[in-house]
Amino acid sequence: MQSRFFTINDHPQGTPARELFELHEQALPALAEGEVRVHNSWLSVDPYMRGRMNGVTTYIEPFELNAPLGGAAIGEVIESRDASFPVGTKVRHMDGWRDIAQLPADQLETLPAFEVPEQAYLGVLGMPGMTAWTGLNRIAEMQEGDNVLVSGAAGAVGSLAVQLAKAKGGTVVGIAGSQEKLDWLEARGVKAVSYKGKNAAQLTAALNEACPEGFDVYYENVGGTCLEAALNTLRVGARIAVCGMIARYNEDTPSAGPGNLAMILIRRARMQGFIVFDHWDHYPQFLEEVGPQVENGQIDYEETIEDGLERTPDAFLKLFEGANRGKMLVRL
């Protein structure tokens, strides 16, 4: 059987060019004992993958040049030499960016049993959803009535973070770009603020207008101007959960940090970065809480879908244009 997969041919400088990605095909070897072959139906592309293209180990190993890329995927077992995963089993794994995956059975998870579309386990009930829940509950220790600010608020992580925060009863403000995203937030009871065309002082003023009392929690997805403005609007004892800083991922040279870090001291705030994989043992708790809410429609979610394996690099690059609403997915 043949497998098609994407590689990168160089380490990018700045925003990756489409030509960086190459599609290859190879014959798969016969299954060894304990291996499983999966036909992928959905692939996830995520901002963290940009860091893996730099050739430097961070919290995760980098992608190798001219070797298959990887990422979260959903698929169906089509051949198996492990009794735990019979043919027909729907699974999640990390051998994405390809149509057919062949991997050891201990690298597969059977999909949970909620009545939701299977691709939800790559988004609202997958890593992005778990990231939103972890940042708010385990890192920022969100309490009833907290005022919460979320940047990247219409993305895969932010769109769930604002809904989980809204359920706690405080003022929730989401920072986003396009009018479509702002409208989506407003329709869900979230005060929406655009960062477009604003410097830090202007964004600070807009945030103060949206929530004059200030914020107890800031969920950080973006960095840059959003972080600087957010620091100006903290309440005493605020907690900042740093999930990502997408504004910096494609920089050629390091940008200057916020000039107002003293606000962390002045507001006696706590700022903590986290990687969701360090908290994955709490995934069952997340599913128990959030799964039923997604299943019964209490929690809404958006997906942006590109069709065909060939579109995977294009879907990935659109993440850095703000072109997605909710989770960016590739459907095979």
Side-chain angles (χ1 to χ4, degrees), residues 38-44 72-77 89-93 95-96 98-101 111 118-119 122 305-309 329-332:
V38 178
H39 186 283
N40 289 333
S41 51
W42 294 90
L43 308 179
S44 174
I74 298 289
E76 181 176 324
V77 174
T89 305
K90 293 295 183 71
V91 295
R92 179 173 58 189
H93 60 87
D95 272 10
R98 69 196 80 189
D99 54 3
I100 307 294
L111 293 188
E118 63 183 13
Q119 71 270 22
L122 293 178
I305 297 171
E306 294 283 334
D307 281 299
L309 177 66
L329 295 164
V330 178
R331 178 169 48 199
L332 304 188

Side-chain angles (χ1 to χ4, degrees), residues 149 175 199-201 203-204 207 224-234 260:
L149 174 64
I175 302 173
N199 60 29
L203 185 54
T204 297
L207 294 177
T225 299
C226 291
L227 175 57
E228 186 163 348
L231 291 175
N232 288 330
T233 61
L234 300 179
N260 60 341

Side-chain angles (χ1 to χ4, degrees), residues 33-145:
E33 187 65 33
E35 283 191 330
V36 176
R37 189 171 288 165
V38 178
H39 186 283
N40 289 333
S41 51
W42 294 90
L43 308 179
S44 174
V45 289
D46 302 280
Y48 82 89
M49 295 174 175
R50 174 62 184 84
R52 297 190 70 186
M53 296 177 183
N54 291 336
V56 178
T57 299
T58 55
Y59 62 86
I60 191 169
E61 291 297 316
F63 290 134
E64 294 182 27
L65 297 183
N66 305 307
L69 301 175
I74 298 289
E76 181 176 324
V77 174
I78 57 174
E79 191 175 345
S80 176
R81 295 195 64 185
D82 187 286
S84 301
F85 294 96
V87 170
T89 305
K90 293 295 183 71
V91 295
R92 179 173 58 189
H93 60 87
M94 290 300 292
D95 272 10
W97 290 77
R98 69 196 80 189
D99 54 3
I100 307 294
Q102 183 166 317
L103 65 169
D106 62 6
Q107 296 179 20
L108 298 172
E109 303 173 76
T110 301
L111 293 188
F114 292 104
E115 293 293 327
V116 298
E118 63 183 13
Q119 71 270 22
Y121 295 108
L122 293 178
V124 66
L125 292 180
M127 184 268 287
M130 176 63 176
T131 302
W133 181 88
T134 298
L136 289 175
N137 293 288
R138 293 186 51 77
I139 306 302
E141 298 176 337
M142 180 178 60
Q143 305 297 314
E144 293 285 344

Side-chain angles (χ1 to χ4, degrees), residues 295-306:
E295 190 175 50
N296 64 29
Q298 283 178 268
I299 286 178
D300 194 8
Y301 63 96
E302 295 283 316
E303 298 171 343
T304 302
I305 297 171
E306 294 283 334

